[in-house]
Amino acid sequence: MLKKQILEEFQKTVGPENIDDGEVMTNAYAYNWCMELVNCMEEKEPIPFSPIPKAIILPSNVEEVQQIVKLCNKYDIQFKAQSTGLGPWNQPSSENCIILDLRRMNKIVKIDDKNLYAVVEPYVSGAQLQAETMKYDLTVHMPGAGPQVSPLASATSMNGPGFTSPHTGHSARNVLGVEWVLPDGEILRLGSTGLKNNPDWFSGDGPGPSLRGIMRGWAGAKSGIGVFTKVAFKLFPYPCSTKFKLKGISPNYEFDIPDFMKLYVMDCKNYNYLKKVFLAVEREEISFICSHLSGYGLGAIFSNSIESLMDKIPIASTHAPLVIVIAARTRREFEYKQKVMNKIMAEFKLENIIGTKYTPNSLFYAEALRSNLGLHGFIATGGFQSSKGQCDTATVCLNTTKMSIPLKKKYIKKGVIANDFGEGVWITSYESGHYFHVESPTLFDQTNEKSVNGMAENMNENYQFDLIKHLGAPFFVEGDRMHDKFGPHMMNYHKWLRKIKEAFDPNGIADSGFYISAK
Amino acid sequence: MDEEEYQKMIKRCLRCSICKWIPQVQIKSQKYATACPAIDLYNFHPYSGGGKIILALALEMGRIKPSEELRDIVYKCTECGNCAIACKFLNTLEPLEIIMRLREKLVEAGCGPMPKQKAYTEAVKNVNNPYSEPHENRMDWLPNDIKIDPNAKLLYYIGCTSSYRRKEMAIAAARIMNAAGVAFRILQDEEYCCGSPILRTGEIHTFQEFLNKNVDIIESKGIETVVFSCAGCYDTFKVDYPLYRDYNFKVCHTVEFFNELLEAGELKLTKEIPITATYHDPCHLGRNAERYEQWDGEEVKLIPLISINIPPKPKRTGKAGIYDPPRNILKKIPGLKFIEMERIREYAYCCGAGAGVKSAFPEMALNTAKIRIEEAEDTGADVIVSACPFCSTNLQDGISESGSKLKYYDISELLLMSLGLEPEKLKQALAEVA
Amino acid sequence: MKISENILSQQLVKICGSKNVTNNPEILKEYSTDMSFFMGKVPKFVTWPSKTQEILKILKLANQMNFSIIPVSSSSKLRQHGDTVPRKDNCVIIDLSKMNKIISINKENRVVMIEPGVTFKDLIPKLKQKGLRLLLPLHPTGTKSVLTSALEREPIVIPRYHWDSSDPLLCTEVIFGTGDLFRTGTAAGPGTISQQQKIGQAQLNPMGPTQFSPFRVIQGAQGSFGVVTWATLKLELIPTMQKVYHYHSNNIEELLDFQQQLVKYRLCDDTFILNNLNLASLVRKIDGEIENLAKSLLKWNMIFIISGRGDLAKDKLDYLEGDIKDLLRESNYVHLEKSDLINSDIFLKCVNESTSEPWRTRYKGYYQDIFFLSNFENISNYILMVQSKYSEDLGIYIQPINQGTSFHCEFDFFYDPNDNIKVDKIKRKISEIIINLMDSGAFFNRPYGYWAKEMYTRHIEQTSIALKKVKRIFDPNNVLNPGVLCFDD
């Protein structure tokens, strides 16, 4: 709870109905997915609750956010900003923290179809934005977490891979102008957004060096460097006809598949061959989706329950599948892309199992277009989290996969994570194969303490493995503990990152639990 | 939901926020993407379906205690079930059932329901309706010229809201049945509250009393089919009653019944109704009006951490809701142009009245109604139609409050007009509806 | 504090060897000016280190002895924008032209690793041998440093490959102003470069390490944050078939509109718009020929190129052509006129190769340029604004960048450097025009010379404050190129 006088000051900023420091509210906001894992790794009780924040506050615009941050500085209370709030990265690391729930900041500021970008506030979801951009024949990059999360959060503060990354890239690389409330309460507007005369959103860099480099890296700062209140990011051509019609009742919708859309699933038999095929396909610049999933993952994207996954055993037993969706606006484009795929399949002696061994429900195509495939990862155990998360070449991604199999199998044998034969990964191409990332979605039972402990151990051991085998820095190198672990092996980057934190957050007000503290 | 299942499920929310939105693949615009009236108004996460699951867990873990703060959040919910539809697209949680169970627990702990809801529960106990109206006035809606057959096997169950507040709906339904030559009876002063307002606020014991009383009466009269014009009563009889006891009569809603009559040619729609109309799916007629299927399977552990249900456990996802019959009716009315809203069928946005919200949180009910009215207006329709007296009152309140030019009709009124008969101008828009 | 030049000389010689250090006044003078109007100071020394270790030592020395360093990457005198001209006394130039190794070319991963001294004329043919191509600016000068071009965020001519404003720059090895060695992106590790490469990495991912991306602050910093000793750059595969289209019109709006559709739907590779004078300068070499061609061209010229590769190259071209024809029809642009005045091969040379002399110097021998970023809507306004102030011998170049989300707008003022009257006129006019443009919202995202101060005063104060914070982290003693951008003090 907040002291009365402090509460009153916050109330003056947002109105009393938009702040709550009650026991019920603050406890509810202390809960999150995978919080039990984080607690476990920090040797705390593995419950899905973080430290309880002092209050939850709902600002409605950047001025209110600024005021709130200034008050936090005044009263030495940390803040943690969240949009839709999925994941432990939205949680406070201490009880001396208030959560800024940015739900009221939900405007699509503009969709600029001439300059091919959109500007949004934090609580616009990917699906909402896509529904609007489709009216202009455009689409938006959505992260693997799903279309219900915030693309602003993905672009500024979280990670950024998506199923459509061959076509729509990575959230961080799509960023243009940014409006950013710094931890000291000042407002920074990046690039052309910061012009005093006729500010605009089309560029996020400069003048001169780009402060986007401070804003985030491969991963974002998870509120550790301030609050992002608006962001502009690139839009992409909608890959096919924007007709989007469904019949039937949830979840068994039938989708009127747009003309000129096709799915390929090819069993590449082994990782070496998979790499060759992956690169060959991506060099042709034809795919909308191009991902390797494990056999289980392949079954999962076509299923909406564990029971329906059982039907997919024949395809789930593929060893090195490659999933490709091509889509086109015109018949010519479609015919060309199909020719390319046929050529590749002939060259590599591959077969498309779609239409022969397996035909998915039409709903798959709707989910592919709407970036809803990642959520299928939850159907088996109801819980998963990814280890790994590094990004560079297809080779290192596949080497990572291969080399990590025995490690994963060790925990499978202990019965603490579900058996995906150790092969459970998601590798996607970015920007037509210019780089690839790998993550290892690992199924565990978040309600089973043994499984939670096992999963935590598995993740820790994977981090250590990635470090000593030079496989790259995984996603979740965040927080002091991990930075102190990885930093000395990575050019002591953590010392520079600490200096940045110190410079931009001298009072340590932006919660650094998933970033870095100035120490 | 039994206690064991409840305890398991409340630990599994992923906090993914899917429950706040209609199914992702159905989102057609930014404006009409949301599913939950509670969080749409109050914004804090616990107001969502997933948020209430977290509250349930926190309560069980002793992290929070029953309190007014908790009660207010839990009861600011129309139990529309939209969160459950969205969640069950891929997940297996039951947010709606968890919310209902949570309310029962609050009542057990002496911390619920809301004072206004307690008041109408007492009214139901005392005078068999939540409006505190005299029981003997229950039949006041009935015009003298309606033909009733006291021996008919078909019972028309009017329900409290149509009897006391939305009399035009009851009259319209009765006149249509007369026009079709359908013999029906009514229970007269043996009709009592179905128990829905009490059930949905967690007063499970009082509900069971009324359930038993109603089933006993109906069965004792040898009734074969009960037809309802109130979606709430219909849902309660169809879906909730069988969880507690079996009964030997069929249930249907007037939209199903009238649709069958139309298909069979028993109703001739001759008069043109030149309007553009959109249809609001009542929650209790649509997604929630799906019976629970008995499942006698078992959970089989396949490999560590992965179990499956054999056979698969039926998932209530609104597939058995009544969506097409009212649409068929509207499309058959000559001169009527039918146009859909964006949020329809199993993911229709709630009108805002249900589960005690209209009485305990009138501003929430009204706010929600206004959102729905705006959605109807955005289709270009000049009329909004539905098939539930709760929706009727609340949406009409929303029209009036927002100054909208939309007109509201119950589907039976439009049918009546198209039969060439005048609907009764007896609309009463009293604010208080359970 | 005045440094002891003798001591400094000794130290530099110790680090780089006597052949690689000079204080020859004639050579020093070359580095005190460039083609811009910016008047700088004379450096104390010029050094030519050839190893990273040497640069490390120089930087550590600079911090100890309190002298400043300006890194330059090419020995050519064709530096343009005043960014490498010393603003302070006690300056040492580090000329990186001797660090000119093409460290590796990786076709599988479409990436090249190069040192700063590698020039376009060195690299393009080597890549071509392997079927690879760089993402090039428009007909770059052969002697220009490839790495510098990427560090300066020079616009590239293929918008669809321009996924991020930072492209084609990927990972870097850099020595910060503190004298600390660092590697950015996945090059940071874990592991050495060879360890990373052994496991299959190729230093492709520029983001990071972890939660910041220092390469973005090094880029565009005009050497004021760090000295880059190598970088990886993104490559593409060379097409086997290319077809060039040249549309011209007196109405730039319709060309911009058509181009925007091509870029939106990713229907073309290279595309840019030039006015007649700039196009003529690009494709012809002699004054007279340039003038004649410029007169025969319509005012505005939009070039775009479609490409295909391999066995299905023709199929690709066929589908692109068909879709483009449909687009022309649907957008009511069938009336747009094509020009055949210039041979396609010449265009292909301009987009695929470097040139021996800067093409912008062909017309009158010298030029000054103004460039900034604009959105789509304001391009014509800016053109009118500039032309209303100055229109003679003016080249205009409009380049969609970053997949069409903004436009590099460039105005080239051609002149004979011996024509003093012209020189004065241009000096005055350019200053005036720059101010007018800035006041209208033109975004000078690459602020050079005296523009920089003007730009920063027209940008919110927090930007300079933030940049100075970052500067103080990576170069607390302001050793690197002091005075550029907003780092005056």
Side-chain angles (χ1 to χ4, degrees):
Chain A
M1 275 187 89
L2 291 168
K3 289 197 179 112
K4 183 167 182 284
Q5 178 223 336
I6 299 176
L7 176 65
E8 278 167 8
E9 282 208 60
F10 281 114
Q11 283 176 336
K12 270 196 210 121
T13 304
V14 295
E17 68 282 9
N18 292 310
I19 178 168
D20 194 318
D21 68 343
E23 180 196 56
V24 173
M25 191 63 71
T26 53
N27 252 286
Y29 272 87
Y31 174 97
N32 218 316
W33 169 55
C34 288
M35 200 54 229
E36 67 285 334
L37 262 186
V38 170
N39 281 332
C40 196
M41 286 177 176
E42 290 175 6
E43 293 172 9
K44 295 181 191 162
E45 193 190 350
I47 56 170
F49 288 88
S50 70
I52 302 171
K54 279 186 148 44
I56 319 302
I57 190 161
L58 300 166
S60 67
N61 55 49
V62 64
E63 290 76 23
E64 287 181 6
V65 171
Q66 182 180 39
Q67 257 305 103
I68 292 164
V69 170
K70 285 187 166 160
L71 285 172
C72 286
N73 275 276
K74 181 177 172 185
Y75 292 110
D76 196 26
I77 302 172
Q78 292 189 322
F79 69 82
K80 184 74 163 183
Q82 59 175 232
S83 303
T84 58
L86 170 64
W89 317 284
N90 294 280
Q91 298 309 113
S93 57
S94 81
E95 289 189 351
N96 182 37
C97 186
I98 71 169
I99 288 183
L100 271 74
D101 182 336
L102 301 172
R103 185 178 159 90
R104 293 172 69 215
M105 297 176 71
N106 62 358
K107 283 196 255 332
I108 295 177
V109 175
K110 74 163 162 171
I111 293 172
D112 189 330
D113 69 318
K114 268 287 191 262
N115 294 288
L116 307 173
Y117 65 80
V119 185
V120 297
E121 290 188 335
Y123 218 94
V124 174
S125 77
Q128 283 182 305
L129 183 56
Q130 191 192 49
E132 295 297 333
T133 59
M134 280 165 78
K135 295 170 187 172
Y136 301 95
D137 225 8
L138 294 166
T139 188
V140 59
H141 176 69
M142 287 183 263
Q148 82 287 4
V149 303
S150 160
L152 177 147
S154 181
T156 60
S157 308
M158 264 300 295
N159 295 327
F163 275 87
T164 63
S165 284
H167 182 71
T168 59
H170 182 277
S171 298
R173 283 172 56 80
N174 293 333
V175 171
L176 304 170
V178 181
E179 180 180 82
W180 175 2
V181 180
L182 294 169
D184 61 4
E186 296 301 330
I187 298 176
L188 190 54
R189 293 186 168 94
L190 300 188
S192 55
T193 322
L195 288 169
K196 287 179 184 171
N197 301 318
N198 294 327
D200 203 343
W201 293 93
F202 57 79
S203 170
D205 309 289
S210 177
L211 289 164
R212 283 170 62 200
I214 303 302
M215 178 175 95
R216 64 164 293 162
W218 168 234
K222 280 99 177 179
S223 188
I225 198 79
V227 186
F228 300 95
T229 49
K230 288 186 189 72
V231 77
F233 41 65
K234 290 181 339 196
L235 298 174
F236 300 87
Y238 198 80
C240 53
S241 150
T242 53
K243 165 184 83 163
F244 206 95
K245 282 197 161 67
L246 293 128
K247 275 197 299 220
I249 302 284
S250 176
N252 298 314
Y253 292 120
E254 277 171 37
F255 180 56
D256 190 3
I257 303 172
D259 295 333
F260 318 140
M261 201 175 167
K262 190 167 175 173
L263 168 66
Y264 296 80
V265 174
M266 308 182 298
D267 182 357
C268 300
K269 305 280 191 284
N270 61 60
Y271 291 134
N272 284 336
Y273 212 58
L274 170 61
K275 184 191 91 171
K276 291 183 177 145
V277 180
F278 224 152
L279 290 173
V281 171
E282 285 304 277
R283 270 197 289 268
E284 298 301 327
E285 302 172 347
I286 57 169
S287 66
F288 177 60
I289 289 175
C290 189
S291 284
H292 163 64
L293 301 161
S294 64
Y296 155 73
L298 181 64
I301 59 171
F302 297 130
S303 309
N304 59 16
S305 68
I306 182 66
E307 288 82 11
S308 64
L309 179 53
M310 296 298 114
D311 300 339
K312 316 290 183 305
I313 299 287
I315 58 162
S317 56
T318 51
H319 183 59
L322 190 61
V323 178
I324 299 160
V325 173
I326 61 170
R329 290 175 51 249
T330 65
R331 180 175 298 284
R332 287 182 205 102
E333 184 188 350
F334 190 49
E335 281 170 4
Y336 167 72
K337 288 181 173 179
Q338 287 181 103
K339 262 191 198 159
V340 171
M341 284 305 303
N342 289 341
K343 181 172 172 290
I344 289 175
M345 288 195 295
E347 186 184 325
F348 288 94
K349 297 187 179 42
L350 294 167
E351 188 200 326
N352 183 12
I353 67 168
I354 302 301
T356 53
K357 290 200 177 111
Y358 177 70
T359 303
N361 291 331
S362 56
L363 182 58
F364 167 81
Y365 296 88
E367 291 196 86
L369 288 166
R370 194 54 51 101
S371 287
N372 204 47
L373 298 175
L375 293 166
H376 287 249
F378 289 106
I379 62 174
T381 59
F384 83 85
Q385 186 46 274
S386 283
S387 60
K388 310 294 176 194
Q390 38 272 66
C391 171
D392 202 75
T393 61
T395 305
V396 75
C397 290
L398 288 164
N399 282 344
T400 302
T401 306
K402 241 188 314 199
M403 290 164 69
S404 304
I405 290 172
L407 179 52
K408 208 171 185 185
K409 278 184 168 169
K410 183 171 120 183
Y411 288 91
I412 292 168
K413 202 171 168 194
K414 287 184 187 183
V416 294
I417 60 176
N419 187 5
D420 58 4
F421 306 104
E423 296 167 358
V425 291
W426 171 40
I427 300 176
T428 181
S429 150
Y430 292 82
E431 300 173 16
S432 298
H434 267 288
Y435 47 104
F436 297 78
H437 101 283
V438 58
E439 59 182 277
S440 178
T442 303
L443 310 173
F444 72 105
D445 182 349
Q446 71 269 37
T447 66
N448 177 322
E449 196 169 320
K450 199 161 155 241
S451 181
V452 170
N453 282 324
M455 178 66 187
E457 265 183 58
N458 167 59
M459 288 181 81
N460 277 331
E461 202 171 331
N462 266 289
Y463 293 143
Q464 183 62 19
F465 186 79
D466 294 343
L467 189 57
I468 60 177
K469 299 288 182 190
H470 315 122
L471 292 169
F475 275 146
F476 303 128
V477 179
E478 56 201 9
D480 285 331
R481 181 179 67 91
M482 289 297 281
H483 286 310
D484 288 341
K485 181 185 176 79
F486 273 78
H489 304 274
M490 293 175 68
M491 311 302 298
N492 287 316
Y493 74 82
H494 59 313
K495 294 187 174 161
W496 300 104
L497 195 57
R498 282 215 157 91
K499 287 183 184 176
I500 288 169
K501 174 69 174 179
E502 194 176 20
F504 284 86
D505 188 11
N507 298 330
I509 291 301
D511 188 302
S512 299
F514 291 90
Y515 184 49
I516 198 165
S517 68
K519 267 195 190 168
Chain B
M1 166 176 283
D2 63 30
E3 185 65 14
E4 191 189 340
E5 218 180 339
Y6 178 81
Q7 292 294 340
K8 269 193 197 161
M9 255 193 211
I10 59 175
K11 293 176 181 154
R12 291 193 166 277
C13 179
L14 297 169
R15 216 236 182 259
C16 62
S17 291
I18 282 272
C19 51
K20 299 170 186 167
W21 313 100
I22 63 175
Q24 297 298 305
V25 290
Q26 287 289 14
I27 292 174
K28 300 166 194 66
S29 70
Q30 187 204 9
K31 194 174 180 187
Y32 298 121
T34 58
C36 175
I39 194 173
D40 280 354
L41 180 59
Y42 298 111
N43 289 306
F44 290 96
H45 182 68
Y47 288 101
S48 66
K52 292 189 177 73
I53 296 176
I54 296 169
L55 293 178
L57 177 64
L59 185 65
E60 290 303 316
M61 289 177 70
R63 294 176 64 93
I64 57 177
K65 292 180 265 315
S67 62
E68 279 186 16
E69 188 193 349
L70 176 61
R71 178 200 68 187
D72 283 9
I73 298 172
V74 174
Y75 280 90
K76 276 174 178 164
C77 169
T78 58
E79 292 187 356
C80 71
N82 227 349
C83 50
I85 297 298
C87 184
K88 286 188 278 188
F89 185 83
L90 283 175
N91 215 325
T92 54
L93 298 187
E94 296 280 1
L96 174 58
E97 293 188 41
I98 290 172
I99 292 166
M100 289 178 75
R101 188 85 185 89
L102 180 55
R103 286 187 179 185
E104 288 169 28
K105 285 182 182 270
L106 288 179
V107 169
E108 275 163 30
C111 196
M114 302 299 298
K116 284 254 166 90
Q117 294 160 354
K118 277 193 184 137
Y120 71 56
T121 302
E122 288 308 307
V124 169
K125 285 180 188 167
N126 295 334
V127 289
N128 303 309
N129 72 84
Y131 299 108
S132 299
E133 298 282 0
H135 181 67
E136 51 272 25
N137 295 351
R138 199 174 177 100
M139 290 292 108
D140 283 0
W141 65 272
L142 185 61
N144 296 333
D145 59 338
I146 296 285
K147 287 195 204 68
I148 305 283
D149 178 351
N151 299 312
K153 297 293 181 193
L154 177 77
L155 171 69
Y156 173 35
Y157 185 101
I158 300 96
C160 304
T161 307
S162 294
S163 299
Y164 293 104
R165 293 287 180 268
R166 297 260 70 92
K167 295 177 185 175
E168 73 281 1
M169 284 178 61
I171 295 169
R175 289 206 187 286
I176 291 168
M177 284 191 277
N178 278 179
V182 170
F184 71 94
R185 66 191 287 180
I186 56 179
L187 287 174
Q188 309 267 21
D189 58 357
E190 282 186 291
E191 187 183 283
Y192 306 110
C193 180
C194 67
S196 175
I198 315 165
L199 168 68
R200 300 186 204 291
T201 51
E203 296 259 23
I204 196 77
H205 300 297
T206 310
F207 167 70
Q208 283 180 265
E209 284 171 26
F210 276 81
L211 177 169
N212 286 319
K213 191 156 65 170
N214 286 330
V215 171
D216 286 342
I217 290 169
I218 293 170
E219 283 188 334
S220 71
K221 294 183 189 309
I223 285 157
E224 291 174 1
T225 307
V226 182
V227 67
F228 302 84
S229 56
C230 171
C233 301
Y234 168 69
D235 179 21
T236 308
F237 268 79
K238 179 180 176 186
V239 177
D240 299 296
Y241 278 21
L243 294 174
Y244 297 91
R245 89 181 247 192
D246 291 332
Y247 50 77
N248 60 13
F249 49 86
K250 290 194 200 116
V251 296
C252 72
H253 189 276
T254 45
V255 293
E256 295 177 274
F257 190 54
F258 294 160
N259 185 50
E260 280 171 22
L261 291 175
L262 268 175
E263 296 289 332
E266 306 293 342
L267 286 171
K268 302 261 188 291
L269 304 178
T270 53
K271 187 163 178 212
E272 277 213 359
I273 312 291
I275 57 174
T276 303
T278 190
Y279 178 72
H280 164 79
D281 291 277
C283 306
H284 292 295
L285 186 58
R287 61 176 156 264
N288 291 338
E290 183 175 349
R291 280 212 161 108
Y292 289 86
E293 284 176 53
Q294 177 79 0
W295 180 69
D296 294 317
E298 52 174 330
E299 189 180 341
V300 172
K301 192 170 182 180
L302 284 180
I303 53 176
L305 303 182
I306 297 187
S307 306
I308 60 168
N309 295 316
I310 296 177
K313 221 178 201 178
K315 227 188 204 185
R316 287 175 72 241
T317 57
K319 58 188 167 302
I322 312 301
Y323 310 111
D324 290 318
R327 285 168 170 82
N328 290 342
I329 292 172
L330 290 171
K331 285 171 189 170
K332 283 190 154 66
I333 293 176
L336 187 147
K337 182 176 165 209
F338 178 68
I339 189 161
E340 293 274 21
M341 288 186 273
E342 282 190 23
R343 295 177 292 189
I344 57 171
R345 304 169 79 94
E346 80 279 9
Y347 57 97
Y349 201 71
C350 182
C351 74
V357 166
K358 186 71 170 170
S359 60
F361 304 106
E363 80 286 351
M364 177 177 163
L366 204 51
N367 185 77
T368 307
K370 281 155 73 174
I371 291 172
R372 196 58 168 156
I373 293 305
E374 189 174 343
E375 188 173 355
E377 282 174 333
D378 279 354
T379 64
D382 39 45
V383 167
I384 179 170
V385 186
S386 193
C388 169
F390 277 49
C391 299
S392 169
T393 297
N394 204 40
L395 289 173
Q396 289 187 77
D397 287 347
I399 288 171
S400 151
E401 185 71 15
S402 62
S404 170
K405 294 195 168 49
L406 269 184
K407 285 202 172 68
Y408 179 92
Y409 285 105
D410 185 78
I411 198 165
S412 54
E413 292 180 281
L414 288 179
L415 251 183
L416 197 64
M417 288 178 345
S418 191
L419 286 170
L421 305 167
E422 273 302 310
E424 224 41 56
K425 303 242 186 312
L426 280 172
K427 293 182 194 253
Q428 290 170 28
L430 287 179
E432 180 206 342
V433 172
Chain C
M1 184 180 80
K2 208 173 170 198
I3 52 171
S4 159
E5 288 187 29
N6 282 339
I7 295 174
L8 180 53
S9 170
Q10 282 168 20
Q11 293 294 327
L12 290 173
V13 164
K14 201 170 159 191
I15 295 168
C16 299
S18 54
K19 288 190 179 143
N20 295 315
V21 180
T22 187
N23 58 356
N24 179 323
E26 287 203 14
I27 295 176
L28 294 181
K29 196 165 169 224
E30 279 174 19
Y31 288 86
S32 67
T33 59
D34 67 3
M35 289 177 71
S36 72
F37 292 136
F38 196 85
M39 295 308 295
K41 297 191 187 263
V42 179
K44 296 286 179 219
F45 293 93
V46 179
T47 66
W48 288 264
S50 55
K51 296 192 185 68
T52 300
Q53 281 302 313
E54 292 172 8
I55 303 172
L56 265 167
K57 287 177 181 166
I58 294 173
L59 270 162
K60 285 201 154 67
L61 191 68
N63 277 278
Q64 283 161 14
M65 293 184 69
N66 196 24
F67 63 88
S68 61
I69 304 249
I70 297 180
V72 309
S73 300
S74 77
S75 55
S76 113
K77 297 169 186 108
L78 298 171
R79 286 182 285 278
Q80 181 65 21
H81 299 120
D83 50 316
T84 53
V85 171
R87 286 150 171 76
K88 307 278 181 199
D89 294 315
N90 294 348
C91 172
V92 171
I93 304 288
I94 296 185
D95 186 325
L96 300 166
S97 54
K98 286 193 177 177
M99 291 182 68
N100 58 2
K101 279 203 275 308
I102 300 170
I103 300 169
S104 63
I105 300 173
N106 184 326
K107 183 168 182 178
E108 179 179 276
N109 294 301
R110 291 177 279 169
V111 65
V112 64
M113 186 186 277
I114 55 171
E115 288 187 333
V118 172
T119 62
F120 283 105
K121 78 169 175 7
D122 296 335
L123 186 55
I124 292 173
K126 295 254 163 38
L127 294 175
K128 194 173 174 185
Q129 281 169 11
K130 295 188 183 250
L132 293 163
R133 60 172 172 170
L134 274 167
L135 296 175
L136 292 174
L138 182 58
H139 211 16
T141 308
T143 51
K144 174 142 194 176
S145 155
V146 178
L147 202 155
T148 299
S149 172
L151 284 171
E152 287 179 355
R153 294 202 301 260
E154 262 200 273
I156 59 176
V157 295
I158 309 182
R160 80 176 179 96
Y161 284 148
H162 201 188
W163 284 85
D164 194 349
S165 55
S166 54
D167 283 351
L169 186 66
L170 301 176
C171 299
T172 67
E173 181 182 81
V174 60
I175 302 166
F176 291 133
T178 52
D180 290 297
L181 183 71
F182 196 80
R183 293 193 294 267
T184 65
T186 44
T192 62
I193 296 299
S194 56
Q195 284 172 330
Q196 292 168 28
Q197 289 178 348
K198 202 166 164 206
I199 203 72
Q201 295 194 61
Q203 296 75 47
L204 285 186
N205 177 7
M207 296 180 274
T210 72
Q211 293 171 298
F212 70 140
S213 282
F215 90 102
R216 290 196 194 277
V217 293
I218 296 159
Q219 201 179 29
Q222 297 170 24
S224 63
F225 279 77
V227 180
V228 176
T229 53
W230 58 254
T232 49
L233 300 182
K234 222 181 184 198
L235 301 174
E236 296 295 343
L237 297 170
I238 287 184
T240 47
M241 280 179 84
Q242 288 184 289
K243 187 165 178 184
V244 182
Y245 292 80
H246 172 190
Y247 281 85
H248 63 168
S249 168
N250 285 325
N251 173 2
I252 194 178
E253 301 278 353
E254 55 186 14
L255 291 178
L256 280 168
D257 234 23
F258 175 36
Q259 183 188 55
Q260 191 269 351
Q261 297 280 298
L262 293 171
V263 171
K264 176 179 176 181
Y265 292 114
R266 311 290 194 261
L267 290 171
C268 67
D269 287 2
D270 320 68
T271 181
F272 44 88
I273 291 178
L274 296 167
N275 73 344
N276 46 355
L277 183 57
N278 251 359
L279 177 54
S281 301
L282 180 70
V283 300
R284 296 284 185 262
K285 299 219 173 189
I286 299 163
D287 225 335
E289 282 182 15
I290 292 172
E291 265 182 21
N292 286 339
L293 178 57
K295 282 181 191 146
S296 359
L297 291 166
L298 294 182
K299 178 83 191 280
W300 299 107
N301 300 270
M302 197 265 283
I303 312 322
F304 69 91
I305 299 173
I306 59 175
S307 312
R309 192 173 46 80
D311 295 341
L312 294 174
K314 177 139 193 334
D315 298 82
K316 183 161 185 201
L317 258 52
D318 285 345
Y319 109 68
L320 287 171
E321 279 189 295
D323 281 4
I324 290 168
K325 271 202 186 98
D326 287 348
L327 189 71
L328 276 165
R329 199 179 48 246
E330 285 155 19
S331 319
N332 291 324
Y333 282 134
V334 285
H335 65 276
L336 280 177
E337 231 181 274
K338 272 197 223 169
S339 166
D340 56 6
L341 283 173
I342 301 166
N343 195 296
S344 289
D345 285 342
I346 296 176
F347 281 120
L348 290 173
K349 265 205 164 80
C350 292
V351 300
N352 292 328
E353 295 176 16
S354 64
T355 169
S356 49
E357 76 291 344
W359 61 266
R360 293 169 180 87
T361 60
R362 288 172 186 164
Y363 182 42
K364 293 283 184 190
Y366 243 64
Y367 74 102
Q368 297 295 321
D369 55 359
I370 296 174
F371 50 84
F372 52 90
L373 294 187
S374 169
N375 62 14
F376 179 87
E377 289 78 8
N378 282 326
I379 295 170
S380 305
N381 296 338
Y382 293 137
I383 291 173
L384 282 171
M385 197 181 291
V386 175
Q387 285 184 319
S388 68
K389 300 262 181 224
Y390 189 95
S391 55
E392 58 190 281
D393 299 333
L394 180 68
I396 303 177
Y397 165 33
I398 307 295
Q399 177 66 60
I401 62 168
N402 210 356
Q403 293 186 325
T405 52
S406 56
F407 295 79
H408 163 87
C409 299
E410 179 183 314
F411 298 87
D412 302 311
F413 299 76
F414 302 121
Y415 63 98
D416 176 350
N418 299 315
D419 181 348
N420 291 330
I421 296 172
K422 198 69 179 277
V423 168
D424 279 337
K425 185 177 180 190
I426 285 179
K427 249 192 207 166
R428 273 183 294 107
K429 283 291 174 186
I430 281 185
S431 302
E432 202 183 308
I433 289 167
I434 287 174
I435 299 299
N436 284 354
L437 286 167
M438 284 186 181
D439 288 343
S440 307
F443 181 44
F444 285 73
N445 70 316
R446 299 160 57 206
Y448 290 99
Y450 55 86
W451 311 351
K453 308 262 174 301
E454 297 295 342
M455 186 70 257
Y456 285 106
T457 58
R458 287 165 177 77
H459 211 264
I460 56 171
E461 203 193 341
Q462 281 301 316
T463 303
S464 306
I465 293 173
L467 284 173
K468 285 174 184 170
K469 282 180 184 171
V470 181
K471 172 77 165 166
R472 278 196 288 274
I473 291 169
F474 294 108
D475 185 22
N477 295 324
N478 201 10
V479 153
L480 286 171
N481 210 351
V484 290
L485 301 170
C486 57
F487 305 133
D488 215 357
D489 39 25

